[in-house]
Amino acid sequence: FSAFVVAQEDRQELTHREQQREVFLEARAALNGEESGLYESLLEKLEDYPLRSYLEYADISTRLSSRAVVGNSTEEIDGFLRRYPDTYLALRLERSWVRELALQERWQDVQRYHNPHNSTTELTCYALHARLRGGDRSALNEVEPLWNVSRSQVNNCDPVFEAWIDDGQLTPEITWQRFSKTIQAGRNSLARYVSTLMPEQVREFAELFLSVDHNPRLLEDQTLFNARTSEMTEIVLYGLRQLAVSDPSLALTLIDDYQTQLNFSLEDSISLRRYTVQRLIFSDRIEEAEAVLLESPELISESLVSQIVREALRDLDWPHVNAWISRLTQEQRDTDRWQYWQARVLTYDGSVEGLIEAHNLLKLASKNRSYFGFLA
C-alpha cells in the first residue's frame, strides 16, 4: 500500500512539473515578446519551479543593460540576491550590478555591493576608485598587484593607477619587475612604455634587455654585460635561455663564462644548464647532451633521463636504456614507471635470473592503478 501511495505522489509531482514546464515556456515567450503583464502573471505560477531564477535573471539583466532599472532603487537586485544566494546567476548579476553602478557613478553603492570574492580586475578598480572618492587613502596600498602584471589592464583602472603613481608608490624596483614580466610575456610594446617610467640609469638596462630579447647573440660580447647588478644578472639569464633555443652549444659555452663574471646562484645555474641540455636533446644532439650530463652529474634529472631513454627506445637500444635508468635515484627507480622499464630491460637480457627479477618488478608495478601499472 505504501508503495502505491508513493507511486501516486510521484505521478502527481510529474504532472505538476509538466504543467509548470508549459507555464515556463509561455512566460519566457512573453518576456521575449515584451509582454510584461502576461509575464508577471505567469511568473507567479512558478513559485517552486527550479528554473524560475533564470527567467528573473533574464528580465533583470535585460533591463540592466538597457539602463531600465529605475533611479537609485536597489530593492529588485537585493531581492534576487537574497532569494538565490551563492548561485551562478546571483554571482553573475552581482558583477553586472557593480559595473552598472560604477558607470552611473554611484560610488557608495559600488562599495556596498562589491564582493572581493566575486570580482574582476575592472570591478576591483571600480571599488578602489570608490574608496578613494570616499577619502579612504588606504585603497592605494592595494593597487600594486593590479599594476604589476605582464599585460595591459583595462582603461577603467587608469584613475586608480594615476592616483597611486601621484602618491609616489611606483618605485624603480616595481617598475623593473613589471618591465621584466612584460618582456618575458612577449609584450615588447608595453615593455617600452613601462621603461619610460624608469629613472635614466635603470632605463639603460631596460634598453639592453630589449636588445638582447631581439638578438641574444649580443651576449658573445661580454664587455657589454659586466655590470654586477641584479638587473644585469636577470638580462643575461634570460638572454642565455633565448640563445639556448637557437644555439644550445654556444649557450653552454657562455654560461661558463658568465658564471664566473656574474656569479649566478647555484639554483639559477643548474636550471639554466638543464634547460640548455634539454634544447640539445630537442635538436637531436643526444650524444652532446649525454656528454654534458656525464661531465656534470648534478644536472641529471628524471625529466632529462626520460627524454634520453625515449630516444634509446626508438632504436630498441636496451643497454643504453639500462645505463640511463641506473643513473636515477633509488626513489625514482622504485616508481611503477621505472620498474616497468627495468623489467623490460631484464626481459631483453633473457637470463633466468633476469626473468625472475623482471617478474618481481612487474608484480610490484602492477599493484598501481596507473598507465604503467596496467602495462605491467
Side-chain angles (χ1 to χ4, degrees):
F1 176 75
S2 61
F4 172 77
V5 172
V6 170
Q8 286 288 93
E9 290 175 349
D10 287 346
R11 278 195 293 272
Q12 290 172 0
E13 175 66 20
L14 183 59
T15 302
H16 177 59
R17 281 285 181 254
E18 288 173 343
Q19 292 172 347
Q20 285 189 314
R21 188 174 300 120
E22 293 299 322
V23 173
F24 174 85
L25 294 174
E26 290 177 27
R28 187 176 66 177
L31 181 61
N32 293 337
E34 300 183 1
E35 300 176 75
S36 57
L38 177 58
Y39 163 73
E40 293 291 346
S41 65
L42 291 170
L43 189 66
E44 292 178 2
K45 300 178 182 180
L46 298 172
E47 187 63 37
D48 61 339
Y49 190 57
L51 299 183
R52 174 186 166 120
S53 61
Y54 285 83
L55 281 177
E56 293 184 62
Y57 175 81
D59 178 28
I60 295 174
S61 61
T62 298
R63 287 184 289 114
L64 258 183
S65 62
S66 62
R67 300 287 178 90
V69 175
V70 180
N72 291 325
S73 173
T74 60
E75 184 178 340
E76 194 171 12
I77 302 295
D78 290 339
F80 188 94
L81 298 179
R82 185 171 56 251
R83 286 192 298 277
Y84 310 109
D86 301 322
T87 61
Y88 165 73
L89 292 178
L91 294 173
R92 185 172 176 180
L93 179 63
E94 186 177 58
R95 293 192 299 271
S96 299
W97 181 229
V98 171
R99 184 174 187 277
E100 180 58 31
L101 290 170
L103 294 176
Q104 294 182 26
E105 298 186 356
R106 292 163 58 179
W107 300 115
Q108 287 187 339
D109 283 334
V110 168
Q111 290 188 70
R112 174 188 168 191
Y113 284 96
H114 177 253
N115 177 3
H117 303 293
N118 178 36
S119 191
T120 63
T121 297
E122 179 187 29
L123 299 184
T124 301
C125 285
Y126 281 143
L128 292 174
H129 184 61
R131 287 170 57 188
L132 289 172
R133 290 286 296 260
D136 182 4
R137 303 294 292 176
S138 68
L140 294 173
N141 299 329
E142 300 173 32
V143 175
E144 191 266 333
L146 293 170
W147 188 87
N148 191 3
V149 294
S150 63
R151 62 190 180 279
S152 294
Q153 295 287 38
V154 293
N155 293 337
N156 300 313
C157 288
D158 288 350
V160 173
F161 291 159
E162 289 167 6
W164 177 70
I165 292 172
D166 290 342
D167 195 54
Q169 297 207 36
L170 178 59
T171 65
E173 292 75 19
I174 293 173
T175 311
W176 178 265
Q177 289 170 16
R178 189 181 188 192
F179 172 82
S180 176
K181 290 174 183 176
T182 55
I183 283 278
Q184 297 186 53
R187 298 186 174 95
N188 287 18
S189 296
L190 177 58
R192 288 191 180 281
Y193 162 72
V194 174
S195 71
T196 65
L197 304 175
M198 296 175 173
E200 185 176 350
Q201 183 179 1
V202 182
R203 198 179 308 142
E204 292 176 4
F205 287 116
E207 289 298 328
L208 187 59
F209 206 150
L210 286 162
S211 298
V212 169
D213 180 62
H214 178 69
N215 179 20
R217 286 186 176 274
L218 288 174
L219 290 166
E220 291 184 88
D221 184 356
Q222 295 172 41
T223 60
L224 297 174
F225 305 91
N226 54 15
R228 286 177 169 264
T229 66
S230 59
E231 292 88 356
M232 187 63 78
T233 299
E234 188 173 354
I235 292 168
V236 171
L237 286 170
Y238 173 81
L240 288 170
R241 288 182 75 88
Q242 296 298 97
L243 183 60
V245 175
S246 57
D247 194 339
S249 297
L250 176 58
L252 281 170
T253 300
L254 291 178
I255 289 171
D256 290 334
D257 295 339
Y258 280 109
Q259 175 69 54
T260 303
Q261 184 168 312
L262 296 177
N263 194 24
F264 298 148
S265 70
L266 180 62
E267 181 181 358
D268 284 338
S269 178
I270 288 179
S271 174
L272 182 56
R273 291 170 191 272
R274 280 177 175 165
Y275 178 74
T276 309
V277 171
Q278 184 183 64
R279 298 308 309 186
L280 284 171
I281 296 172
F282 288 168
S283 303
D284 291 327
R285 293 150 74 175
I286 309 299
E287 291 183 5
E288 192 175 344
E290 291 184 55
V292 174
L293 293 177
L294 293 175
E295 185 178 337
S296 305
E298 71 277 7
L299 301 181
I300 294 175
S301 69
E302 186 174 10
S303 174
L304 293 175
V305 168
S306 296
Q307 292 170 46
I308 292 173
V309 166
R310 191 175 295 117
E311 295 298 324
L313 286 171
R314 286 175 181 163
D315 299 328
L316 297 180
D317 188 346
W318 294 105
H320 205 61
V321 170
N322 186 48
W324 279 99
I325 291 178
S326 67
R327 292 184 172 90
L328 294 170
T329 66
Q330 186 61 52
E331 183 180 2
Q332 290 166 342
R333 292 200 301 273
D334 285 343
T335 61
D336 55 357
R337 177 186 190 181
W338 296 113
Q339 285 171 337
Y340 173 80
W341 287 117
Q342 287 175 86
R344 291 292 303 271
V345 169
L346 290 165
T347 302
Y348 167 81
D349 176 71
S351 66
V352 174
E353 295 82 1
L355 291 173
I356 292 172
E357 187 178 350
H359 177 74
N360 292 333
L361 285 170
L362 291 172
K363 277 186 68 176
L364 284 172
S366 66
K367 294 177 181 178
N368 295 291
R369 294 179 60 84
S370 64
Y371 177 75
F372 286 101
F374 285 122
L375 279 184

